[in-house]
């Protein structure tokens, strides 16, 4: 398992508290993970966290991104996290013990991103649309939410625990990266807009639904490249026809 730890990306989306960012980095160092990514952080929080005592190696190499799509572009699987509560999820939900088996297996072959939301709001529906499925840490009903640093530590421990009877889900095929998958999503959405299939007033919601649909396809790398090429041709043809009618 140790050789696959470098394939995990811990992604913090819109974090605000420097103490929590420092705690996340410390937990990553504890369990041997090094790839920390931060999306649209509260600037003061990220700056303060970078000077946190004991977390300098991970924090110094942390990468900052403007969007979730950019942060997970080189990954083949993206997993969100949630306390669930009264939320209606559009993605499959797995409890930590079962979800960790899937993640450990995937890490043997490809990069995996696990997303943690802001301390106050968690992950938005738009952010969750980038995820293949959602992970949940079972807690008691009366107190479901966890501190960000604690949640990351519990998840990372489970990822390296690897019970002896674990049956890893090793992939024989090489899956497409999320950069390519997002390209397919955006190009297909452009075609749907050009053909007026998508209502401009509900465009964002349609984009979220389409992103979830494309991720469920679990495309192999070669197939994804072919499909993306087809879609680019369709969009080009649609645009050309529109101009000729003008």
């Amino acid at each position: 398992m140790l050789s696959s730890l470098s394939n995990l990306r811990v992604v913090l989306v819109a974090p605000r508290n420097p103490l929590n960012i420092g705690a996340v980095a410390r937990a990553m160092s504890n369990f041997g993970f090094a790839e920390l990514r931060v999306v649209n952080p509260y600037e003061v929080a990220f700056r303060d966290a970078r000077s946190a005592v004991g977390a300098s190696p991970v924090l110094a190499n942390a990468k900052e991104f403007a969007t979730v799509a950019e942060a997970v572009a080189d990954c083949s699987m993206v997993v969100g996290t949630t306390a669930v509560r009264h939320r209606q999820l559009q993605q499959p939900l797995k409890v930590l013990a079962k979800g960790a088996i899937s993640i450990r297996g995937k890490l043997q072959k490809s990069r995996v991103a696990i997303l943690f939301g802001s301390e106050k709001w968690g992950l938005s529906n738009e952010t969750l649309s980038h995820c293949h499925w959602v992970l949940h840490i079972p807690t008691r009903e009366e107190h479901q939410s966890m501190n960000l640093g604690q949640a990351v530590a519990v998840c990372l421990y489970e990822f390296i625990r690897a019970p002896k009877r674990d049956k890893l889900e090793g992939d024989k095929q090489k899956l497409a990266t999320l950069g390519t998958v997002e390209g397919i999503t955006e190009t297909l959405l452009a075609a749907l807009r050009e053909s007026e299939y998508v209502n401009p007033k509900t465009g964002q919601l349609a984009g979220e639904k389409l992103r979830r649909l494309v991720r469920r396809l679990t495309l192999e790398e070669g197939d994804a490249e072919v499909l993306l090429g087809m879609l680019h041709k369709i969009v080009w043809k649609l645009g050309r026809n529109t101009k000729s009618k003008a």
Side-chain angles (χ1 to χ4, degrees):
M1 180 65 186
L2 290 176
S3 61
S4 65
L5 298 187
S6 62
N7 280 335
L8 185 76
R9 277 83 173 110
V10 175
V11 183
L12 307 183
V13 182
R16 297 183 61 85
N17 191 324
L19 295 178
N20 286 338
I21 299 175
V24 168
R26 195 166 293 116
M28 292 177 64
S29 180
N30 287 151
F31 297 113
F33 298 94
E35 283 280 345
L36 175 61
R37 298 181 175 185
V38 186
V39 178
N40 193 26
Y42 182 53
E43 187 61 29
V44 174
F46 191 49
R47 191 184 304 115
D48 288 351
R50 291 180 70 87
S51 63
V53 176
S56 55
V58 174
L59 288 170
N61 294 310
K63 298 177 182 178
E64 187 174 351
F65 296 86
T67 66
V68 172
E70 293 170 338
V72 303
D74 64 339
C75 298
S76 295
M77 185 169 76
V78 180
V79 178
T81 54
T82 181
V84 184
R85 295 177 181 169
H86 303 296
R87 188 171 203 164
Q88 291 187 338
L89 296 172
Q90 302 298 320
Q91 298 82 8
L93 178 69
K94 297 183 182 182
V95 295
L96 179 57
K98 182 177 180 181
I101 296 175
S102 299
I103 290 174
R104 286 195 292 263
K106 188 70 69 173
L107 287 174
Q108 302 297 317
K109 295 285 186 178
S110 55
R111 300 186 183 99
V112 177
I114 179 166
L115 274 53
F116 295 88
S118 70
E119 300 88 333
K120 190 172 183 179
W121 306 111
L123 296 174
S124 67
N125 288 334
E126 195 281 330
T127 296
L128 285 175
S129 71
H130 291 270
C131 302
H132 291 88
W133 48 274
V134 182
L135 187 68
H136 171 64
I137 301 174
T139 55
R140 68 188 182 96
E141 186 73 21
E142 296 80 4
H143 195 178
Q144 295 182 342
S145 64
M146 295 181 70
N147 172 272
L148 178 60
Q150 292 174 325
V152 172
V154 170
C155 289
L156 297 185
Y157 170 71
E158 191 68 27
F159 296 162
I160 68 167
R161 192 168 64 87
K164 293 181 180 179
R165 290 180 291 179
D166 222 8
K167 294 182 180 179
L168 299 179
E169 299 178 357
D171 293 320
K172 294 181 179 179
Q173 75 275 30
K174 187 174 182 181
L175 297 180
T177 65
L178 268 295
T180 302
V181 174
E182 184 66 13
I184 291 172
T185 303
E186 292 297 329
T187 308
L188 181 53
L189 186 59
L192 295 175
R193 286 170 176 157
E194 190 71 29
S195 64
E196 298 182 352
Y197 181 86
V198 172
N199 186 331
K201 295 183 179 179
T202 60
Q204 181 176 341
L205 183 59
E208 293 175 11
K209 290 181 177 179
L210 184 61
R211 185 176 291 112
R212 291 194 295 267
L213 184 154
V214 174
R215 274 152 179 71
R216 287 197 297 271
L217 298 177
T218 315
L219 295 166
E220 294 183 27
E221 187 177 50
D223 294 340
E225 293 292 346
V226 172
L227 179 57
L228 184 57
M230 292 177 178
L231 291 173
H232 277 308
K233 186 69 173 181
I234 291 171
V235 170
W236 176 80
K237 191 71 173 178
L238 285 172
R240 186 178 180 184
N241 289 342
T242 301
K243 290 179 181 178
S244 64
K245 294 177 180 179

